[in-house]
């Protein structure tokens, strides 16, 4: 890929950064589309890892060769084994607290319902008013189901919730506070430890949506005292379209949590075929139906890459990539009507940057026609999602150059 000559200063800087990038060899580990000039949607759907072709072929061989025996021999324990690996490499979670299961939506539903049931007598769920739609929709519907109220935390569209708001709006009436570690729109990076402590001070449980941070931002759920978390695996964990999500439940909270979708895989003895449901001990009680063994395979190869690279190095490159976008906005992109719709401070920003523009939707459509793939986020946001292990600095310069030309057009 050749950096765009429409932004020569940025292109020259990109060449320097790529030459010094210790993570540059990882780009060859992914399945690439030579027709894509710049992929700015790694925070929505990560590129596939090339090694996954062999892994999927091996699974087919095991499936065909072992048939039903595969469940006893390896697959039954996969949700917890893969969960432990996600926890150790990306979440700062000790074993026995992460499990791979349903979709993000279903796991959020389970944990929200379980959390409010674990705090009887409290009649509110708190959530910020710009959280991801699924999170907000679920909170509204669960509040209706359970006769609760929703406490909306107002946040700026280029930021996120702050400690003073949690102190003011989360009270002894709050059963659960639900927030995102990284805002899907702005990329705002929340202070998880502080916000969690403030909610705990008034006795509320806290559930963190880590979909836009897992695999991009180092996370320390155990050390931060987090109660619950849910994340997807098709963004920075490159699990592929429809890959299953994961749930984290703090070990000390597991015995009192009763999730509402009581399927056979979460039972104490699934093959007893008992008359009544008895939850499994530990994190397995979060499971419901038969887990997707096929769906877990691709993320394993990305976890291998993360283990080799190390999350500190992944985060350092993520910051460098997003800083390049902000620097371009202040430099060669100035005068094009673009604004920064993300936090300027990199310590308050996750792995994507959103640029505001009055004609953003049309600009994104034009960019896609030229094989540069950002995301449009209403109202007026061009979201630049940068997956550190699969993205070069030259790719960023090239893509921003095309976006500049699309604006001028």
């Amino acid at each position: 890929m050749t950096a765009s000559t429409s932004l020569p200063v940025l292109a020259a800087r990109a060449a320097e950064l790529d030459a010094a990038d210790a993570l540059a060899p990882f780009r060859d580990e992914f399945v690439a589309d030579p027709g894509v000039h710049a992929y700015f949607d790694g925070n929505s759907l990560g590129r596939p890892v090339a090694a996954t072709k062999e892994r999927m072929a091996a699974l087919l061989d095991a499936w065909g060769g072992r048939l039903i025996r595969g469940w006893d021999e390896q697959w039954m324990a996969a949700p917890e084994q893969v969960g432990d690996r996600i926890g150790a490499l990306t979440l700062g979670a000790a074993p026995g607290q992460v499990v791979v299961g349903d979709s993000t939506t279903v796991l959020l539903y389970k944990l929200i319902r379980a959390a409010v049931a674990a705090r009887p007598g409290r009649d509110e769920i708190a959530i910020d008013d710009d959280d991801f739609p699924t999170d907000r929709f679920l909170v509204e519907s669960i509040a209706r189901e359970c006769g609760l109220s929703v406490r909306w935390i107002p946040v700026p569209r280029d930021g996120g919730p702050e400690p003073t708001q949690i102190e003011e709006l989360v009270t002894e009436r709050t059963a659960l506070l639900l927030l995102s570690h990284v805002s899907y729109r702005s990329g705002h990076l929340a202070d998880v430890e502080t916000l969690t402590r403030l909610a705990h001070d008034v006795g509320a449980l806290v559930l963190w949506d880590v979909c836009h941070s897992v695999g991009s931002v180092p996370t320390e759920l155990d050390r931060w005292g987090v109660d619950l978390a849910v994340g997807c695996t098709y963004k920075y964990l490159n699990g592929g379209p429809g890959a299953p999500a994961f749930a984290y439940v703090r070990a000390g909270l597991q015995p009192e949590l009763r999730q509402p979708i009581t399927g056979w895989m979460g039972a104490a003895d699934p093959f007893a075929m008992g008359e009544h449901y008895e939850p499994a001990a530990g994190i397995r009680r979060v499971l419901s139906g038969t887990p997707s063994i096929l769906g877990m395979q691709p993320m394993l190869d990305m976890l291998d890459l993360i283990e080799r690279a190390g999350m500190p190095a992944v985060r350092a490159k993520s910051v460098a990539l997003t800083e390049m976008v902000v620097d371009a906005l202040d430099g060669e992109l100035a005068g094009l009507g673009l604004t920064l719709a993300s936090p300027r401070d990199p310590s308050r920003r996750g792995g994507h940057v959103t640029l505001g523009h009055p004609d953003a939707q049309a600009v994104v459509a034009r960019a896609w026609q030229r094989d540069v793939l950002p995301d449009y986020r209403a109202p007026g946001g061009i979201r630049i999602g940068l997956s550190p292990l699969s993205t070069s600095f030259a790719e960023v310069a090239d893509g921003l150059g095309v976006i500049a030309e699309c604006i001028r057009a």
Side-chain angles (χ1 to χ4, degrees):
M1 180 177 297
T2 302
S4 172
T5 56
S6 68
L7 302 176
V9 175
L10 192 65
R13 178 60 178 151
E16 294 174 358
L17 290 169
D18 279 328
D21 180 15
L23 300 185
F26 283 94
R27 296 199 301 273
D28 296 332
E29 306 269 4
F30 296 86
V31 176
D33 181 349
V36 174
H37 296 309
Y39 189 52
F40 289 166
D41 240 343
N43 65 327
S44 278
L45 179 66
R47 289 183 180 275
V49 179
T52 299
K53 294 179 180 180
E54 293 183 11
R55 184 181 295 274
M56 294 303 287
L59 179 68
L60 287 176
D61 289 341
W63 175 9
R66 303 309 297 159
L67 297 171
I68 195 68
R69 293 172 293 186
W71 281 109
D72 292 330
E73 294 167 354
Q74 55 183 313
W75 299 331
M76 202 70 177
E80 293 151 290
Q81 290 173 345
V82 179
D84 282 346
R85 192 135 192 261
I86 294 170
L89 292 175
T90 69
L91 300 175
Q97 299 178 106
V98 182
V99 68
V100 177
D102 313 281
S103 69
T104 305
T105 302
V106 174
L107 287 177
L108 281 170
Y109 176 81
K110 290 180 179 181
L111 294 193
I112 296 169
R113 281 293 304 266
V116 298
R119 289 295 180 268
R122 292 173 176 248
D123 61 358
E124 288 186 351
I125 306 173
I127 184 172
D128 84 59
D129 65 359
D130 195 39
D131 213 332
F132 191 75
T134 285
D135 303 53
R136 291 185 283 105
F137 297 165
L138 282 170
V139 164
E140 288 183 308
S141 64
I142 290 170
R144 286 194 298 270
E145 290 174 2
C146 299
L148 307 176
S149 300
V150 180
R151 171 74 71 171
W152 295 105
I153 302 169
V155 298
R157 296 310 183 249
D158 61 352
E162 298 295 339
T164 54
Q165 295 178 295
I166 304 305
E167 289 179 303
E168 178 185 355
L169 298 174
V170 176
T171 71
E172 287 79 5
R173 296 179 58 184
T174 306
L176 175 70
L177 171 65
L178 169 57
L179 296 172
S180 288
H181 187 192
V182 171
S183 167
Y184 85 100
R185 189 194 306 274
S186 70
H188 173 271
L189 179 62
D191 182 348
V192 174
E193 185 172 20
T194 297
L195 301 188
T196 298
R197 175 178 53 79
L198 291 172
H200 284 171
D201 285 347
V202 294
L205 291 172
V206 187
L207 195 167
W208 285 95
D209 181 331
V210 297
C211 287
H212 282 87
S213 61
V214 62
S216 174
V217 178
T219 303
E220 298 290 342
L221 298 184
D222 286 355
R223 184 169 64 82
W224 293 339
V226 168
D227 300 310
L228 307 160
V230 171
C232 64
T233 63
Y234 46 78
K235 302 182 191 300
Y236 297 110
L237 295 187
N238 302 64
F246 61 85
Y248 165 92
V249 181
R250 175 170 52 82
L253 185 61
Q254 290 173 15
E256 66 178 286
L257 215 65
R258 295 291 185 268
Q259 65 101 342
I261 306 178
T262 51
W264 77 304
M265 275 288 177
D269 185 354
F271 294 101
M273 305 299 172
E275 293 184 13
H276 304 288
Y277 177 81
E278 291 293 336
I283 192 64
R284 195 169 182 92
R285 64 179 54 201
V286 177
L287 293 179
S288 298
T290 306
S292 175
I293 303 302
L294 287 169
M296 292 183 207
Q297 301 308 304
M299 75 180 81
L300 296 175
D301 293 305
M302 186 61 186
L303 289 170
D304 287 345
L305 299 188
I306 290 173
E307 184 172 22
R308 283 165 47 198
M311 277 304 301
V314 170
R315 173 60 177 167
K317 183 172 180 185
S318 176
V319 169
L321 288 167
T322 58
E323 280 288 87
M324 189 179 186
V325 177
V326 175
D327 290 345
L329 178 67
D330 295 337
E332 289 176 289
L333 296 179
L336 295 178
L338 289 164
T339 58
L340 182 61
S342 295
R344 180 168 289 275
D345 180 353
S347 70
R348 304 298 306 277
R349 189 175 64 233
H352 65 270
V353 178
T354 300
L355 303 178
H357 193 275
D359 200 23
Q361 189 167 15
V363 170
V364 169
R366 293 184 200 121
W368 277 51
Q369 291 173 354
R370 296 185 57 180
D371 296 314
V372 171
L373 308 178
D375 236 343
Y376 171 69
R377 284 293 176 263
I382 303 169
R383 196 174 67 169
I384 311 295
L386 304 169
S387 190
L389 295 186
S390 61
T391 305
S392 69
F393 293 95
E395 186 175 1
V396 176
D398 189 57
L400 293 178
V402 169
I403 288 173
E405 292 168 0
C406 291
I407 293 173
R408 294 188 186 104

